Amino acid sequence: MNSQQDHTIRGIVLDWAGTIVDFGSLAPMGAFVELFARHQIEITIAEARVPMGLPKIDHIAALGNMPTIAAQWQAQKGRPFNDSDAQQLLSEFEPMSAKAALDRSDFIPGFMTAYHALQAQGLAFATTTGYTRKIMTPLIEIAQAQGFAPALVVCCDDVVRSRPDPMGMQACLQAMGLQGKASQVIKVDDTAPGLAEGLAAGAWTVGVAVSGNALGWTHEHWLQASEQDQAHAKTNASALLLAAGAHEVIDSVADLPDAIARIEQRMASGETP
């Protein structure tokens, strides 16, 4: 490998909701609120967002153990929230979430343009997600029909240990033919656990601020907001992603080519992930 290749990004591992589909990462939120409402438990969208990026079983468990939610569960059921409750809720959540994900399966504006351009440059693509295989299967089919065909889609229940563990990333590296070359790969994500799996694998990380969970707005809300409101919201979202270890932060995946160029400059100056 020559020195120029050493300073080149060769692979991209993408998250799904909030990163390449579902602007604002809204599909899981409504499903979580509805899920707990079925059990007479009130949760807010803000509460539902806190564990975002974790595998869905862990997300449900984290919600069930939040003090305000745990207290409601104890009052309703007469006992503490437990692991079997989380499993039962997951079985209820999957069909609800699959429908919500399909309803919000449109690609983030500009994603396919960036994807085709980077693919033409020879970059490999793979994906990981906190969604289960049951939720993802129809979403993958829709994406493929629109021309998005990553080397691998790793769902949270495809691996023994999902994010923030790097097991899913390692599977992606292998599928892209980049084993042992994580320092030439970027993980793109809108959540802390998703960025953490990239960092744990030794990859560069890029956070998406505007389209993702950290901001949580629809595309329409973003376009209609004042410049001042946009700037304030973006600053807060970016701070969360930087605090989670993102090497670069972009508005959305449409800006990925710019982030790659900046990271390659950092690589050329001797920086590593």
PDB file of all heavy atoms in Angstrom, residues 186-226:
ATOM      1  N   ILE A 186     -15.160   5.152   7.936  1.00  0.00           N
ATOM      2  CA  ILE A 186     -15.930   6.130   8.709  1.00  0.00           C
ATOM      3  C   ILE A 186     -17.256   5.506   9.120  1.00  0.00           C
ATOM      4  O   ILE A 186     -17.953   4.925   8.294  1.00  0.00           O
ATOM      5  CB  ILE A 186     -16.213   7.405   7.892  1.00  0.00           C
ATOM      6  CG1 ILE A 186     -14.919   8.155   7.560  1.00  0.00           C
ATOM      7  CG2 ILE A 186     -17.176   8.332   8.642  1.00  0.00           C
ATOM      8  CD1 ILE A 186     -15.111   9.324   6.601  1.00  0.00           C
ATOM      9  N   LYS A 187     -17.613   5.641  10.402  1.00  0.00           N
ATOM     10  CA  LYS A 187     -18.959   5.287  10.866  1.00  0.00           C
ATOM     11  C   LYS A 187     -19.776   6.577  10.929  1.00  0.00           C
ATOM     12  O   LYS A 187     -19.372   7.545  11.573  1.00  0.00           O
ATOM     13  CB  LYS A 187     -18.906   4.628  12.252  1.00  0.00           C
ATOM     14  CG  LYS A 187     -20.294   4.352  12.864  1.00  0.00           C
ATOM     15  CD  LYS A 187     -21.035   3.275  12.066  1.00  0.00           C
ATOM     16  CE  LYS A 187     -22.533   3.281  12.293  1.00  0.00           C
ATOM     17  NZ  LYS A 187     -22.948   2.999  13.646  1.00  0.00           N
ATOM     18  N   VAL A 188     -20.921   6.585  10.276  1.00  0.00           N
ATOM     19  CA  VAL A 188     -21.794   7.760  10.243  1.00  0.00           C
ATOM     20  C   VAL A 188     -23.046   7.448  11.047  1.00  0.00           C
ATOM     21  O   VAL A 188     -23.729   6.459  10.779  1.00  0.00           O
ATOM     22  CB  VAL A 188     -22.186   8.137   8.799  1.00  0.00           C
ATOM     23  CG1 VAL A 188     -22.954   9.458   8.785  1.00  0.00           C
ATOM     24  CG2 VAL A 188     -20.947   8.222   7.911  1.00  0.00           C
ATOM     25  N   ASP A 189     -23.369   8.285  12.044  1.00  0.00           N
ATOM     26  CA  ASP A 189     -24.479   7.970  12.941  1.00  0.00           C
ATOM     27  C   ASP A 189     -25.018   9.236  13.588  1.00  0.00           C
ATOM     28  O   ASP A 189     -24.339  10.262  13.630  1.00  0.00           O
ATOM     29  CB  ASP A 189     -24.007   6.995  14.025  1.00  0.00           C
ATOM     30  CG  ASP A 189     -25.104   6.059  14.506  1.00  0.00           C
ATOM     31  OD1 ASP A 189     -26.049   6.541  15.158  1.00  0.00           O
ATOM     32  OD2 ASP A 189     -25.012   4.852  14.245  1.00  0.00           O
ATOM     33  N   ASP A 190     -26.238   9.124  14.127  1.00  0.00           N
ATOM     34  CA  ASP A 190     -26.867  10.279  14.788  1.00  0.00           C
ATOM     35  C   ASP A 190     -27.026  10.077  16.284  1.00  0.00           C
ATOM     36  O   ASP A 190     -27.643  10.905  16.950  1.00  0.00           O
ATOM     37  CB  ASP A 190     -28.235  10.573  14.157  1.00  0.00           C
ATOM     38  CG  ASP A 190     -29.249   9.464  14.396  1.00  0.00           C
ATOM     39  OD1 ASP A 190     -28.875   8.274  14.281  1.00  0.00           O
ATOM     40  OD2 ASP A 190     -30.421   9.769  14.693  1.00  0.00           O
ATOM     41  N   THR A 191     -26.467   8.971  16.835  1.00  0.00           N
ATOM     42  CA  THR A 191     -26.611   8.699  18.274  1.00  0.00           C
ATOM     43  C   THR A 191     -25.280   8.334  18.907  1.00  0.00           C
ATOM     44  O   THR A 191     -24.362   7.863  18.233  1.00  0.00           O
ATOM     45  CB  THR A 191     -27.592   7.533  18.533  1.00  0.00           C
ATOM     46  OG1 THR A 191     -27.007   6.318  18.045  1.00  0.00           O
ATOM     47  CG2 THR A 191     -28.937   7.770  17.875  1.00  0.00           C
ATOM     48  N   ALA A 192     -25.212   8.503  20.229  1.00  0.00           N
ATOM     49  CA  ALA A 192     -23.999   8.168  20.975  1.00  0.00           C
ATOM     50  C   ALA A 192     -23.642   6.680  20.879  1.00  0.00           C
ATOM     51  O   ALA A 192     -22.483   6.345  20.620  1.00  0.00           O
ATOM     52  CB  ALA A 192     -24.143   8.601  22.435  1.00  0.00           C
ATOM     53  N   PRO A 193     -24.596   5.740  21.080  1.00  0.00           N
ATOM     54  CA  PRO A 193     -24.226   4.322  20.962  1.00  0.00           C
ATOM     55  C   PRO A 193     -23.734   3.950  19.563  1.00  0.00           C
ATOM     56  O   PRO A 193     -22.835   3.126  19.409  1.00  0.00           O
ATOM     57  CB  PRO A 193     -25.528   3.586  21.299  1.00  0.00           C
ATOM     58  CG  PRO A 193     -26.305   4.540  22.141  1.00  0.00           C
ATOM     59  CD  PRO A 193     -25.986   5.892  21.571  1.00  0.00           C
ATOM     60  N   GLY A 194     -24.322   4.579  18.543  1.00  0.00           N
ATOM     61  CA  GLY A 194     -23.901   4.306  17.173  1.00  0.00           C
ATOM     62  C   GLY A 194     -22.513   4.828  16.871  1.00  0.00           C
ATOM     63  O   GLY A 194     -21.728   4.182  16.166  1.00  0.00           O
ATOM     64  N   LEU A 195     -22.194   5.999  17.400  1.00  0.00           N
ATOM     65  CA  LEU A 195     -20.838   6.525  17.254  1.00  0.00           C
ATOM     66  C   LEU A 195     -19.861   5.682  18.065  1.00  0.00           C
ATOM     67  O   LEU A 195     -18.741   5.411  17.618  1.00  0.00           O
ATOM     68  CB  LEU A 195     -20.785   7.989  17.716  1.00  0.00           C
ATOM     69  CG  LEU A 195     -21.552   8.993  16.856  1.00  0.00           C
ATOM     70  CD1 LEU A 195     -21.652  10.341  17.555  1.00  0.00           C
ATOM     71  CD2 LEU A 195     -20.906   9.157  15.481  1.00  0.00           C
ATOM     72  N   ALA A 196     -20.299   5.220  19.234  1.00  0.00           N
ATOM     73  CA  ALA A 196     -19.429   4.425  20.110  1.00  0.00           C
ATOM     74  C   ALA A 196     -18.994   3.129  19.447  1.00  0.00           C
ATOM     75  O   ALA A 196     -17.857   2.686  19.629  1.00  0.00           O
ATOM     76  CB  ALA A 196     -20.142   4.128  21.433  1.00  0.00           C
ATOM     77  N   GLU A 197     -19.888   2.497  18.657  1.00  0.00           N
ATOM     78  CA  GLU A 197     -19.485   1.242  18.014  1.00  0.00           C
ATOM     79  C   GLU A 197     -18.406   1.507  16.964  1.00  0.00           C
ATOM     80  O   GLU A 197     -17.528   0.678  16.753  1.00  0.00           O
ATOM     81  CB  GLU A 197     -20.678   0.486  17.424  1.00  0.00           C
ATOM     82  CG  GLU A 197     -21.283   1.059  16.180  1.00  0.00           C
ATOM     83  CD  GLU A 197     -22.337   0.159  15.539  1.00  0.00           C
ATOM     84  OE1 GLU A 197     -22.407  -1.047  15.859  1.00  0.00           O
ATOM     85  OE2 GLU A 197     -23.115   0.674  14.706  1.00  0.00           O
ATOM     86  N   GLY A 198     -18.474   2.684  16.317  1.00  0.00           N
ATOM     87  CA  GLY A 198     -17.424   3.049  15.373  1.00  0.00           C
ATOM     88  C   GLY A 198     -16.098   3.283  16.067  1.00  0.00           C
ATOM     89  O   GLY A 198     -15.054   2.795  15.637  1.00  0.00           O
ATOM     90  N   LEU A 199     -16.145   4.028  17.171  1.00  0.00           N
ATOM     91  CA  LEU A 199     -14.928   4.310  17.941  1.00  0.00           C
ATOM     92  C   LEU A 199     -14.316   3.023  18.494  1.00  0.00           C
ATOM     93  O   LEU A 199     -13.095   2.842  18.464  1.00  0.00           O
ATOM     94  CB  LEU A 199     -15.247   5.276  19.087  1.00  0.00           C
ATOM     95  CG  LEU A 199     -15.689   6.693  18.677  1.00  0.00           C
ATOM     96  CD1 LEU A 199     -16.223   7.453  19.882  1.00  0.00           C
ATOM     97  CD2 LEU A 199     -14.536   7.447  18.022  1.00  0.00           C
ATOM     98  N   ALA A 200     -15.179   2.128  18.973  1.00  0.00           N
ATOM     99  CA  ALA A 200     -14.694   0.867  19.555  1.00  0.00           C
ATOM    100  C   ALA A 200     -14.007  -0.010  18.509  1.00  0.00           C
ATOM    101  O   ALA A 200     -13.126  -0.809  18.841  1.00  0.00           O
ATOM    102  CB  ALA A 200     -15.852   0.104  20.199  1.00  0.00           C
ATOM    103  N   ALA A 201     -14.408   0.154  17.241  1.00  0.00           N
ATOM    104  CA  ALA A 201     -13.800  -0.628  16.156  1.00  0.00           C
ATOM    105  C   ALA A 201     -12.520   0.020  15.632  1.00  0.00           C
ATOM    106  O   ALA A 201     -11.806  -0.578  14.829  1.00  0.00           O
ATOM    107  CB  ALA A 201     -14.801  -0.787  15.016  1.00  0.00           C
ATOM    108  N   GLY A 202     -12.245   1.255  16.078  1.00  0.00           N
ATOM    109  CA  GLY A 202     -11.048   1.958  15.615  1.00  0.00           C
ATOM    110  C   GLY A 202     -11.271   2.765  14.348  1.00  0.00           C
ATOM    111  O   GLY A 202     -10.320   3.092  13.635  1.00  0.00           O
ATOM    112  N   ALA A 203     -12.537   3.087  14.067  1.00  0.00           N
ATOM    113  CA  ALA A 203     -12.871   3.850  12.861  1.00  0.00           C
ATOM    114  C   ALA A 203     -13.023   5.335  13.169  1.00  0.00           C
ATOM    115  O   ALA A 203     -13.156   5.738  14.329  1.00  0.00           O
ATOM    116  CB  ALA A 203     -14.169   3.313  12.264  1.00  0.00           C
ATOM    117  N   TRP A 204     -12.993   6.139  12.114  1.00  0.00           N
ATOM    118  CA  TRP A 204     -13.380   7.538  12.230  1.00  0.00           C
ATOM    119  C   TRP A 204     -14.894   7.612  12.411  1.00  0.00           C
ATOM    120  O   TRP A 204     -15.612   6.692  12.002  1.00  0.00           O
ATOM    121  CB  TRP A 204     -12.986   8.310  10.966  1.00  0.00           C
ATOM    122  CG  TRP A 204     -11.505   8.423  10.761  1.00  0.00           C
ATOM    123  CD1 TRP A 204     -10.707   7.550  10.064  1.00  0.00           C
ATOM    124  CD2 TRP A 204     -10.639   9.457  11.244  1.00  0.00           C
ATOM    125  NE1 TRP A 204      -9.397   7.973  10.091  1.00  0.00           N
ATOM    126  CE2 TRP A 204      -9.320   9.141  10.801  1.00  0.00           C
ATOM    127  CE3 TRP A 204     -10.839  10.606  12.004  1.00  0.00           C
ATOM    128  CZ2 TRP A 204      -8.223   9.947  11.097  1.00  0.00           C
ATOM    129  CZ3 TRP A 204      -9.740  11.412  12.294  1.00  0.00           C
ATOM    130  CH2 TRP A 204      -8.458  11.080  11.853  1.00  0.00           C
ATOM    131  N   THR A 205     -15.384   8.682  13.012  1.00  0.00           N
ATOM    132  CA  THR A 205     -16.822   8.822  13.209  1.00  0.00           C
ATOM    133  C   THR A 205     -17.296  10.197  12.762  1.00  0.00           C
ATOM    134  O   THR A 205     -16.641  11.212  13.012  1.00  0.00           O
ATOM    135  CB  THR A 205     -17.217   8.619  14.682  1.00  0.00           C
ATOM    136  OG1 THR A 205     -16.457   9.513  15.508  1.00  0.00           O
ATOM    137  CG2 THR A 205     -16.969   7.182  15.131  1.00  0.00           C
ATOM    138  N   VAL A 206     -18.458  10.193  12.108  1.00  0.00           N
ATOM    139  CA  VAL A 206     -19.097  11.438  11.670  1.00  0.00           C
ATOM    140  C   VAL A 206     -20.522  11.451  12.222  1.00  0.00           C
ATOM    141  O   VAL A 206     -21.302  10.528  11.981  1.00  0.00           O
ATOM    142  CB  VAL A 206     -19.117  11.549  10.127  1.00  0.00           C
ATOM    143  CG1 VAL A 206     -19.992  12.724   9.682  1.00  0.00           C
ATOM    144  CG2 VAL A 206     -17.698  11.708   9.586  1.00  0.00           C
ATOM    145  N   GLY A 207     -20.859  12.493  12.969  1.00  0.00           N
ATOM    146  CA  GLY A 207     -22.203  12.643  13.508  1.00  0.00           C
ATOM    147  C   GLY A 207     -23.067  13.480  12.579  1.00  0.00           C
ATOM    148  O   GLY A 207     -22.575  14.431  11.979  1.00  0.00           O
ATOM    149  N   VAL A 208     -24.336  13.087  12.448  1.00  0.00           N
ATOM    150  CA  VAL A 208     -25.275  13.890  11.658  1.00  0.00           C
ATOM    151  C   VAL A 208     -26.211  14.616  12.624  1.00  0.00           C
ATOM    152  O   VAL A 208     -26.943  14.003  13.383  1.00  0.00           O
ATOM    153  CB  VAL A 208     -26.056  13.050  10.624  1.00  0.00           C
ATOM    154  CG1 VAL A 208     -25.142  12.647   9.485  1.00  0.00           C
ATOM    155  CG2 VAL A 208     -26.663  11.804  11.242  1.00  0.00           C
ATOM    156  N   ALA A 209     -26.135  15.941  12.589  1.00  0.00           N
ATOM    157  CA  ALA A 209     -26.812  16.756  13.606  1.00  0.00           C
ATOM    158  C   ALA A 209     -28.247  17.111  13.245  1.00  0.00           C
ATOM    159  O   ALA A 209     -29.160  16.950  14.059  1.00  0.00           O
ATOM    160  CB  ALA A 209     -26.015  18.031  13.860  1.00  0.00           C
ATOM    161  N   VAL A 210     -28.462  17.605  12.026  1.00  0.00           N
ATOM    162  CA  VAL A 210     -29.761  18.177  11.680  1.00  0.00           C
ATOM    163  C   VAL A 210     -30.810  17.102  11.385  1.00  0.00           C
ATOM    164  O   VAL A 210     -31.970  17.237  11.758  1.00  0.00           O
ATOM    165  CB  VAL A 210     -29.620  19.146  10.485  1.00  0.00           C
ATOM    166  CG1 VAL A 210     -30.977  19.611   9.974  1.00  0.00           C
ATOM    167  CG2 VAL A 210     -28.779  20.364  10.900  1.00  0.00           C
ATOM    168  N   SER A 211     -30.397  16.017  10.730  1.00  0.00           N
ATOM    169  CA  SER A 211     -31.368  15.004  10.300  1.00  0.00           C
ATOM    170  C   SER A 211     -31.652  13.959  11.371  1.00  0.00           C
ATOM    171  O   SER A 211     -32.509  13.101  11.178  1.00  0.00           O
ATOM    172  CB  SER A 211     -30.855  14.281   9.046  1.00  0.00           C
ATOM    173  OG  SER A 211     -29.754  13.435   9.369  1.00  0.00           O
ATOM    174  N   GLY A 212     -30.955  14.029  12.494  1.00  0.00           N
ATOM    175  CA  GLY A 212     -30.983  12.911  13.419  1.00  0.00           C
ATOM    176  C   GLY A 212     -31.721  13.096  14.728  1.00  0.00           C
ATOM    177  O   GLY A 212     -32.431  14.083  14.960  1.00  0.00           O
ATOM    178  N   ASN A 213     -31.489  12.124  15.602  1.00  0.00           N
ATOM    179  CA  ASN A 213     -32.148  12.042  16.901  1.00  0.00           C
ATOM    180  C   ASN A 213     -31.801  13.225  17.805  1.00  0.00           C
ATOM    181  O   ASN A 213     -32.634  13.664  18.595  1.00  0.00           O
ATOM    182  CB  ASN A 213     -31.731  10.731  17.573  1.00  0.00           C
ATOM    183  CG  ASN A 213     -32.377  10.514  18.922  1.00  0.00           C
ATOM    184  OD1 ASN A 213     -33.570  10.308  19.016  1.00  0.00           O
ATOM    185  ND2 ASN A 213     -31.570  10.565  19.981  1.00  0.00           N
ATOM    186  N   ALA A 214     -30.575  13.728  17.686  1.00  0.00           N
ATOM    187  CA  ALA A 214     -30.132  14.811  18.575  1.00  0.00           C
ATOM    188  C   ALA A 214     -30.978  16.069  18.400  1.00  0.00           C
ATOM    189  O   ALA A 214     -31.214  16.798  19.356  1.00  0.00           O
ATOM    190  CB  ALA A 214     -28.648  15.120  18.336  1.00  0.00           C
ATOM    191  N   LEU A 215     -31.459  16.311  17.169  1.00  0.00           N
ATOM    192  CA  LEU A 215     -32.316  17.476  16.934  1.00  0.00           C
ATOM    193  C   LEU A 215     -33.791  17.056  16.929  1.00  0.00           C
ATOM    194  O   LEU A 215     -34.619  17.683  17.575  1.00  0.00           O
ATOM    195  CB  LEU A 215     -31.922  18.155  15.614  1.00  0.00           C
ATOM    196  CG  LEU A 215     -32.369  19.613  15.460  1.00  0.00           C
ATOM    197  CD1 LEU A 215     -31.356  20.397  14.632  1.00  0.00           C
ATOM    198  CD2 LEU A 215     -33.725  19.704  14.800  1.00  0.00           C
ATOM    199  N   GLY A 216     -34.095  16.001  16.187  1.00  0.00           N
ATOM    200  CA  GLY A 216     -35.428  15.404  16.268  1.00  0.00           C
ATOM    201  C   GLY A 216     -36.546  16.162  15.574  1.00  0.00           C
ATOM    202  O   GLY A 216     -37.708  16.016  15.935  1.00  0.00           O
ATOM    203  N   TRP A 217     -36.197  16.958  14.568  1.00  0.00           N
ATOM    204  CA  TRP A 217     -37.212  17.717  13.827  1.00  0.00           C
ATOM    205  C   TRP A 217     -37.522  17.019  12.506  1.00  0.00           C
ATOM    206  O   TRP A 217     -36.668  16.349  11.937  1.00  0.00           O
ATOM    207  CB  TRP A 217     -36.706  19.127  13.488  1.00  0.00           C
ATOM    208  CG  TRP A 217     -36.541  20.038  14.647  1.00  0.00           C
ATOM    209  CD1 TRP A 217     -36.769  19.773  15.968  1.00  0.00           C
ATOM    210  CD2 TRP A 217     -36.080  21.401  14.597  1.00  0.00           C
ATOM    211  NE1 TRP A 217     -36.487  20.874  16.735  1.00  0.00           N
ATOM    212  CE2 TRP A 217     -36.060  21.889  15.928  1.00  0.00           C
ATOM    213  CE3 TRP A 217     -35.683  22.248  13.563  1.00  0.00           C
ATOM    214  CZ2 TRP A 217     -35.665  23.184  16.242  1.00  0.00           C
ATOM    215  CZ3 TRP A 217     -35.280  23.538  13.873  1.00  0.00           C
ATOM    216  CH2 TRP A 217     -35.280  24.003  15.199  1.00  0.00           C
ATOM    217  N   THR A 218     -38.732  17.234  11.987  1.00  0.00           N
ATOM    218  CA  THR A 218     -39.019  16.808  10.619  1.00  0.00           C
ATOM    219  C   THR A 218     -38.247  17.712   9.656  1.00  0.00           C
ATOM    220  O   THR A 218     -37.798  18.805  10.029  1.00  0.00           O
ATOM    221  CB  THR A 218     -40.514  16.928  10.285  1.00  0.00           C
ATOM    222  OG1 THR A 218     -40.886  18.316  10.354  1.00  0.00           O
ATOM    223  CG2 THR A 218     -41.373  16.102  11.237  1.00  0.00           C
ATOM    224  N   HIS A 219     -38.122  17.257   8.418  1.00  0.00           N
ATOM    225  CA  HIS A 219     -37.454  18.074   7.401  1.00  0.00           C
ATOM    226  C   HIS A 219     -38.223  19.381   7.189  1.00  0.00           C
ATOM    227  O   HIS A 219     -37.625  20.457   7.034  1.00  0.00           O
ATOM    228  CB  HIS A 219     -37.353  17.291   6.083  1.00  0.00           C
ATOM    229  CG  HIS A 219     -36.481  17.943   5.063  1.00  0.00           C
ATOM    230  ND1 HIS A 219     -36.865  18.155   3.758  1.00  0.00           N
ATOM    231  CD2 HIS A 219     -35.224  18.468   5.170  1.00  0.00           C
ATOM    232  CE1 HIS A 219     -35.891  18.766   3.105  1.00  0.00           C
ATOM    233  NE2 HIS A 219     -34.888  18.967   3.929  1.00  0.00           N
ATOM    234  N   GLU A 220     -39.565  19.283   7.212  1.00  0.00           N
ATOM    235  CA  GLU A 220     -40.409  20.474   7.024  1.00  0.00           C
ATOM    236  C   GLU A 220     -40.184  21.489   8.151  1.00  0.00           C
ATOM    237  O   GLU A 220     -40.061  22.702   7.906  1.00  0.00           O
ATOM    238  CB  GLU A 220     -41.888  20.068   6.976  1.00  0.00           C
ATOM    239  CG  GLU A 220     -42.279  19.219   5.769  1.00  0.00           C
ATOM    240  CD  GLU A 220     -41.707  17.811   5.807  1.00  0.00           C
ATOM    241  OE1 GLU A 220     -41.516  17.263   6.921  1.00  0.00           O
ATOM    242  OE2 GLU A 220     -41.420  17.271   4.716  1.00  0.00           O
ATOM    243  N   HIS A 221     -40.114  20.992   9.382  1.00  0.00           N
ATOM    244  CA  HIS A 221     -39.864  21.864  10.545  1.00  0.00           C
ATOM    245  C   HIS A 221     -38.524  22.579  10.364  1.00  0.00           C
ATOM    246  O   HIS A 221     -38.421  23.797  10.585  1.00  0.00           O
ATOM    247  CB  HIS A 221     -39.862  21.018  11.819  1.00  0.00           C
ATOM    248  CG  HIS A 221     -39.703  21.808  13.090  1.00  0.00           C
ATOM    249  ND1 HIS A 221     -39.827  21.248  14.333  1.00  0.00           N
ATOM    250  CD2 HIS A 221     -39.407  23.120  13.316  1.00  0.00           C
ATOM    251  CE1 HIS A 221     -39.624  22.172  15.258  1.00  0.00           C
ATOM    252  NE2 HIS A 221     -39.354  23.313  14.667  1.00  0.00           N
ATOM    253  N   TRP A 222     -37.512  21.843   9.952  1.00  0.00           N
ATOM    254  CA  TRP A 222     -36.188  22.428   9.752  1.00  0.00           C
ATOM    255  C   TRP A 222     -36.232  23.541   8.696  1.00  0.00           C
ATOM    256  O   TRP A 222     -35.702  24.633   8.914  1.00  0.00           O
ATOM    257  CB  TRP A 222     -35.189  21.346   9.346  1.00  0.00           C
ATOM    258  CG  TRP A 222     -33.855  21.899   8.931  1.00  0.00           C
ATOM    259  CD1 TRP A 222     -33.363  22.016   7.668  1.00  0.00           C
ATOM    260  CD2 TRP A 222     -32.841  22.458   9.800  1.00  0.00           C
ATOM    261  NE1 TRP A 222     -32.121  22.591   7.677  1.00  0.00           N
ATOM    262  CE2 TRP A 222     -31.775  22.882   8.969  1.00  0.00           C
ATOM    263  CE3 TRP A 222     -32.747  22.627  11.177  1.00  0.00           C
ATOM    264  CZ2 TRP A 222     -30.620  23.453   9.494  1.00  0.00           C
ATOM    265  CZ3 TRP A 222     -31.588  23.213  11.690  1.00  0.00           C
ATOM    266  CH2 TRP A 222     -30.541  23.620  10.856  1.00  0.00           C
ATOM    267  N   LEU A 223     -36.875  23.261   7.561  1.00  0.00           N
ATOM    268  CA  LEU A 223     -36.918  24.240   6.471  1.00  0.00           C
ATOM    269  C   LEU A 223     -37.699  25.495   6.850  1.00  0.00           C
ATOM    270  O   LEU A 223     -37.384  26.591   6.392  1.00  0.00           O
ATOM    271  CB  LEU A 223     -37.538  23.600   5.220  1.00  0.00           C
ATOM    272  CG  LEU A 223     -36.718  22.494   4.551  1.00  0.00           C
ATOM    273  CD1 LEU A 223     -37.491  21.905   3.379  1.00  0.00           C
ATOM    274  CD2 LEU A 223     -35.353  23.004   4.089  1.00  0.00           C
ATOM    275  N   GLN A 224     -38.714  25.325   7.703  1.00  0.00           N
ATOM    276  CA  GLN A 224     -39.560  26.457   8.068  1.00  0.00           C
ATOM    277  C   GLN A 224     -39.028  27.265   9.253  1.00  0.00           C
ATOM    278  O   GLN A 224     -39.485  28.382   9.500  1.00  0.00           O
ATOM    279  CB  GLN A 224     -40.980  25.948   8.383  1.00  0.00           C
ATOM    280  CG  GLN A 224     -41.725  25.468   7.147  1.00  0.00           C
ATOM    281  CD  GLN A 224     -42.945  24.628   7.476  1.00  0.00           C
ATOM    282  OE1 GLN A 224     -43.367  24.564   8.641  1.00  0.00           O
ATOM    283  NE2 GLN A 224     -43.521  23.971   6.477  1.00  0.00           N
ATOM    284  N   ALA A 225     -38.067  26.719   9.974  1.00  0.00           N
ATOM    285  CA  ALA A 225     -37.530  27.408  11.156  1.00  0.00           C
ATOM    286  C   ALA A 225     -36.704  28.624  10.741  1.00  0.00           C
ATOM    287  O   ALA A 225     -36.137  28.670   9.648  1.00  0.00           O
ATOM    288  CB  ALA A 225     -36.669  26.449  11.969  1.00  0.00           C
ATOM    289  N   SER A 226     -36.643  29.611  11.633  1.00  0.00           N
ATOM    290  CA  SER A 226     -35.817  30.794  11.363  1.00  0.00           C
ATOM    291  C   SER A 226     -34.345  30.395  11.413  1.00  0.00           C
ATOM    292  O   SER A 226     -33.984  29.374  11.995  1.00  0.00           O
ATOM    293  CB  SER A 226     -36.076  31.863  12.422  1.00  0.00           C
ATOM    294  OG  SER A 226     -35.587  31.427  13.687  1.00  0.00           O
TER     295      SER A 226
END
